[in-house]
Amino acid sequence: MDGRLSQFDHWPTGTKLLLILSAALLPLGLALAWAARDSLDAANNANRAAAEQEGRAVARAIESLVARNALALSVAANGAFRERVPDPCAATEQSLALTPAIAKRFAIRSPDGTVICSAGDFEPRRDSVIVPPGDIRLWVSPLDRSLNYRVGIAGGMATGDLTIEELRGAPAEVGPGIDALTINDGSSQLRVIQGAQPSQKVEPIRRAHGIGRNQLRVETAVAGGRTKNFRHIRK
């Protein structure tokens, strides 16, 4: 022990100071490294939470778009039946023209499902789907790549649709980081937004959100930016 102390006494002062400072700063360095790792984990968790919130906002935007169009069609068609006009589609179309940002393609059916008329080059589908007054049915139409909604009204039913272009407009403002968006009704799906292939380092946050009383599932993939760790920084 005394020999080792004697050797240390003969070392240059600068070397001894370096060793002493290194030993004193080692615990501080370890504490800082641990705190930095905790900060990175917190940042990554915040990024993930923000991505999940964005996915939920996109699903709500799609649901709001469908509800707004279905309600407008229901009100307009109900009005046409109440007035007992000879051409309910013309009267419904005239009412919808007064409402901005509402789809104008639709068909009106009798209570037994028989098509009475249609407007906007709408091609009626699913004759067997009967919807009682006040109810709504939602489904994906793969043939014309659209989302269909059918509402029950006093005197019959009205069916409208939303195209991919119209659906893409809903999440444009609330979901700028959306990487992929698919609407699924359990048997058919509609790819509204198809993003690029995900990076090997950053996998998008994928979630499924039920809308329309769970008649539809909105599947989102949102790019969740990951904070670089020390390994990435060294590269």
Side-chain angles (χ1 to χ4, degrees):
M1 178 98 182
D2 293 341
R4 286 195 296 270
L5 288 175
S6 177
Q7 291 178 1
F8 179 78
D9 289 339
H10 288 85
W11 287 356
T13 301
T15 302
K16 289 189 288 186
L17 288 175
L18 178 61
L19 291 173
I20 294 172
L21 288 174
S22 297
L25 293 176
L26 179 60
L28 178 59
L30 293 175
L32 290 175
W34 186 270
R37 194 182 74 169
D38 286 348
S39 297
L40 289 174
D41 290 342
N44 288 328
N45 290 336
N47 289 337
R48 177 176 292 274
E52 292 179 349
Q53 176 62 29
E54 189 170 334
R56 286 191 293 270
V58 167
R60 286 197 299 269
I62 294 292
E63 187 170 38
S64 176
L65 175 66
V66 175
R68 186 168 65 251
N69 279 268
L71 178 61
L73 179 59
S74 177
V75 170
N78 266 310
F81 273 107
R82 282 196 304 269
E83 295 172 5
R84 300 182 181 277
V85 296
D87 187 351
C89 280
T92 300
E93 194 171 17
Q94 184 176 4
S95 296
L96 291 177
L98 302 176
T99 308
I102 293 295
K104 307 300 190 295
R105 297 171 304 279
F106 62 89
I108 292 180
R109 299 171 179 266
S110 64
D112 65 0
T114 302
V115 177
I116 298 176
C117 58
S118 62
D121 297 327
F122 183 84
E123 184 175 349
R125 303 186 187 279
R126 296 203 179 187
D127 298 340
S128 61
V129 177
I130 304 299
V131 182
D135 203 356
I136 183 173
R137 287 290 303 275
L138 308 172
W139 69 87
V140 170
S141 177
L143 294 178
D144 53 4
R145 302 180 67 205
S146 65
L147 170 60
N148 283 210
Y149 49 91
R150 179 168 296 170
V151 293
I153 56 179
M157 297 174 288
T159 309
D161 71 349
L162 291 166
T163 65
I164 287 181
E165 289 72 22
E166 290 166 331
L167 291 167
R168 282 175 182 162
E173 294 183 3
V174 299
I178 192 73
D179 190 60
L181 172 61
T182 301
I183 300 176
N184 196 316
D185 66 3
S187 59
S188 301
Q189 65 178 14
L190 183 65
R191 295 184 181 276
V192 179
I193 298 176
Q194 181 62 54
Q197 292 297 321
S199 167
Q200 293 181 353
K201 293 181 180 179
V202 181
E203 184 70 19
I205 309 301
R206 302 182 185 276
R207 292 290 183 270
H209 313 271
I211 66 171
R213 293 177 298 181
N214 291 320
Q215 294 184 67
L216 299 175
R217 191 171 70 249
V218 177
E219 301 167 352
T220 60
V222 181
R226 183 173 179 82
T227 304
K228 293 183 178 181
N229 57 27
F230 292 124
R231 182 181 301 175
H232 293 153
I233 292 173
R234 286 198 299 268
K235 290 181 178 181

